[in-house]
Each structure stands twice: as structure tokens, then as C-alpha cells.
Amino acid sequence: MGQRSLRDATFVIKDGGNEEITVKIGEGNITWSEKRTVEYTHERGAIDSSRLGDDEPCDVKFDFVWDWIESGSDSQDIVGAIKVTNSGWVSTGAECEPDACDLELTIEDCSIEEVITFSDFRWTTLDYDLRAGTISCSGSCVANPNVT
Amino acid sequence: MIKNNIAKWVFASVCKHFTDNISGITLYIEGLDRNTYGLSDWCELRLDGPNIREVSKNLLKINAEVNILIATHIDVENLYHETENINKVIQAYIDFDIYKYGNNSDDTGDLIGRFKLLPLDDLRDKLQITRFGILGPALTLMQTTTEGHYEMLVDEEEE
């Protein structure tokens, strides 16, 4: 029995091609919420039966160290990866949809490795905190993460 | 592994930076033999830390406190003599780089990162000057301490 933590985790953003960049979480965190909707049918006021409702996107939130936003030495930066605007990056999503990327969280400890993949992540907010030197990103994926 | 040597590299870089940037008053490093005979004023550097914390995988947050004790003999003709000495010291409290200084094969002299003086407006992490005044009725020596808190992030994979 053990407990996994950020010290075991490598967090990578990938595009639809071969590009990827490792995210420095620093003192931040990665959180997500798997969701599903359940609909209940009532019979004269009492719950009679239930069934799964419509799919819901999986909300993901993560923080990372505020390095250069666009002035890094190799023109590959985290914000550009999230927005899929880095040079050479292509979206993982379908054409005509908002640009998306994949998030891959690898947790490795004692030669055991677990990979948690968030497919087609699309950002919705980027919160910049210069005093803390961090940027927080929130967004969602079309499905709950895949764990291998 | 940077963790194996970081204490020495931080200490060596701190000593070099403050030695290079304090002038007009003799600076000693704590732990070295010192002979203050004949000196009216001097100061002595002491380093607390570095404290090392792995905040996420392979990313180390390193912080340390630089403390310099200033000894000033009373100058009856210059009321500002002690504060002039303080000014000579605190101007060195600026951001500076940490290098792999030392005498061993790991000590390549390469740059590790930048030690940043923590913000002055944070009540906990400030450049602090504490004046103790005259040490005793029979002495003409006044002591002052200056303390600054430094911090940097190091990516072990890039080292």
C-alpha cells in the first residue's frame, strides 16, 4: 500500500502530431472531476427507476510555474501548448472544432507506471498570478480520463 | 544529483557574491579565522540553509537566509557612521546567480540558477535590519544584523 503524489508524477502536454512539452507543476496541483448524470424516474413522487443521462465533459484544472509566456529560448512554451499555437503544433480535435491537446499524467514509483490520459483537452480559463509566479489553467475533455 | 552538492554550491556562490559586492568594510565568512585587531569596523556573513524541498517531480525549491553581522566602533564625530556601514552591506542584497563552485570534479563552475531576493513587501520575507546598539557600558562597539531571504527553483532534469 502506498500513496501517490506530485513527486511521482510527470505531466506532459501532447499535440495531434509528435510534439510534446513537459509541464513544471511546481507548488501547484492537478485536479479533475469525473462526471456522469443519472436521471431518476418517479412514480407518484417516489423514485421508481434510474438511467444514465447525457455525457458530461470531464473538468480538468492544473497549475504550472510561470516561466516565459512567449519568450522562451526554444519557442515552445506551456501556454502555447495549451492553446496549440506553438510552432509546429497541430490540434488533436476534429477539424472546425476549437483547438485541443492531450494531457498525459504519468505516475511512476518503484518500477510501476500508470499513465492517465485526458484526450482532447480544451482550455476555458488561464489565470495568471505574478506574485506567486504561477499560471492556472482550467478546461475540459470530451471524456473521462483513460488509465493504462 | 544536484541535491548532493547544492549546499556547497549555494554557500560558495553566496560567499563570492557578497565578497565581490561589499566594499569599504572588511567582510569575514563565519567559520574562517579572523583577526579584527586594528580594525574599527568589520562584518561577518552567516548562511542559514539552504533548505531543499522537492515541490514536484525533479523540481527543487531552494531557499536560504543570508545574515551579515556588522560591527561598528562609535565615531563621536559622525553620528551616521553605523548607518553608512549598513548601506555598504545592504546594497549587496540583490538577485545573483548560483554556480557549481568548488574544488571537486562535480564542481564545473556551470550556472545552476538565479537566487532571488524575496519581495520586500512580504512581512515574513523582508530585508531586515536589526540594530542592537552598544554591546555594554565598557565597550564602544555597536552591532547590527542584516538578513535577506533568497529562493530559487531548480529543475534537476536540466542539470
Side-chain angles (χ1 to χ4, degrees):
Chain A
M1 173 78 186
Q3 185 179 34
R4 307 281 75 80
S5 75
L6 275 175
R7 292 177 60 187
D8 308 320
T10 305
F11 188 44
V12 174
I13 302 176
K14 293 184 168 182
D15 79 337
N18 297 316
E19 301 289 347
E20 65 175 53
I21 191 167
T22 302
V23 181
K24 293 178 188 172
I25 298 296
E27 292 185 283
N29 199 3
I30 310 169
T31 59
W32 66 92
S33 303
E34 292 189 18
K35 287 190 284 188
R36 65 175 190 174
T37 53
V38 181
E39 294 176 353
Y40 294 95
T41 308
H42 293 80
E43 173 67 31
R44 297 185 185 187
I47 293 176
D48 178 55
S49 62
S50 63
R51 66 182 181 90
L52 288 178
D54 293 342
D55 286 346
E56 290 283 335
C58 172
D59 295 331
V60 183
K61 185 174 183 184
F62 59 93
D63 315 301
F64 55 96
V65 174
W66 185 336
D67 203 340
W68 298 114
I69 296 174
E70 289 188 359
S71 303
S73 55
D74 55 2
S75 75
Q76 300 287 311
D77 57 77
I78 307 295
V79 172
I82 292 167
K83 294 180 176 177
V84 199
T85 55
N86 277 344
S87 175
W89 281 59
V90 294
S91 175
T92 58
E95 211 172 330
C96 302
E97 287 186 336
D99 285 340
C101 56
D102 288 347
L103 310 179
E104 193 175 276
L105 184 64
T106 303
I107 299 173
E108 193 177 3
D109 191 23
C110 299
S111 76
I112 299 173
E113 187 179 282
E114 196 166 70
V115 181
I116 304 168
T117 305
F118 304 85
S119 299
D120 295 342
F121 171 81
R122 293 183 174 88
W123 70 279
T124 51
T125 58
L126 281 163
D127 296 314
Y128 298 77
D129 185 340
L130 190 52
R131 180 172 295 278
T134 59
I135 302 173
S136 299
C137 177
S138 301
S140 52
C141 305
V142 292
N144 287 329
N146 181 41
V147 182
T148 55
Chain B
M1 288 289 285
I2 199 165
K3 271 182 266 193
N4 297 347
N5 289 300
I6 192 67
K8 176 177 65 178
W9 291 332
V10 167
F11 177 68
S13 300
V14 166
C15 291
K16 176 160 174 45
H17 168 77
F18 282 91
T19 302
D20 289 348
N21 286 277
I22 292 176
S23 58
I25 184 168
T26 304
L27 173 70
Y28 295 100
I29 308 296
E30 188 185 58
L32 291 177
D33 187 28
R34 65 182 167 102
N35 180 6
T36 59
Y37 182 76
L39 290 176
S40 64
D41 312 325
W42 67 90
C43 56
E44 185 177 62
L45 183 151
R46 186 170 71 87
L47 180 71
D48 269 347
N51 306 308
I52 304 161
R53 190 157 60 95
E54 189 173 5
V55 291
S56 56
K57 191 173 186 181
N58 296 323
L59 196 64
L60 305 180
K61 179 170 261 190
I62 295 163
N63 54 47
E65 295 163 26
V66 178
N67 191 307
I68 299 178
L69 173 76
I70 306 167
T72 305
H73 272 100
I74 291 174
D75 182 346
V76 292
E77 294 182 352
N78 183 6
L79 178 64
Y80 308 121
H81 188 51
E82 183 190 26
T83 50
E84 286 167 356
N85 280 340
I86 294 170
N87 287 345
K88 290 171 188 170
V89 170
I90 62 172
Q91 64 183 347
Y93 281 96
I94 53 175
D95 297 352
F96 59 94
D97 293 331
I98 301 295
Y99 294 93
K100 295 180 179 178
Y101 290 141
N103 303 321
N104 299 326
S105 57
D106 290 341
D107 307 326
T108 56
D110 293 342
L111 175 68
I112 299 171
R114 191 152 184 83
F115 231 22
K116 288 186 177 291
L117 184 65
L118 289 172
L120 300 180
D121 57 356
D122 187 320
L123 205 58
R124 185 176 55 85
D125 298 319
K126 57 189 175 182
L127 179 56
Q128 187 169 341
I129 299 166
T130 307
R131 302 169 77 161
F132 295 101
I134 299 170
L135 295 180
L139 295 171
T140 57
L141 190 71
M142 294 189 290
Q143 284 194 335
T144 310
T145 58
T146 58
E147 182 175 302
H149 295 212
Y150 282 89
E151 186 174 278
M152 72 173 178
L153 274 178
V154 178
D155 189 337
E156 275 206 295
E157 286 201 325
E158 289 177 3
E159 294 302 321

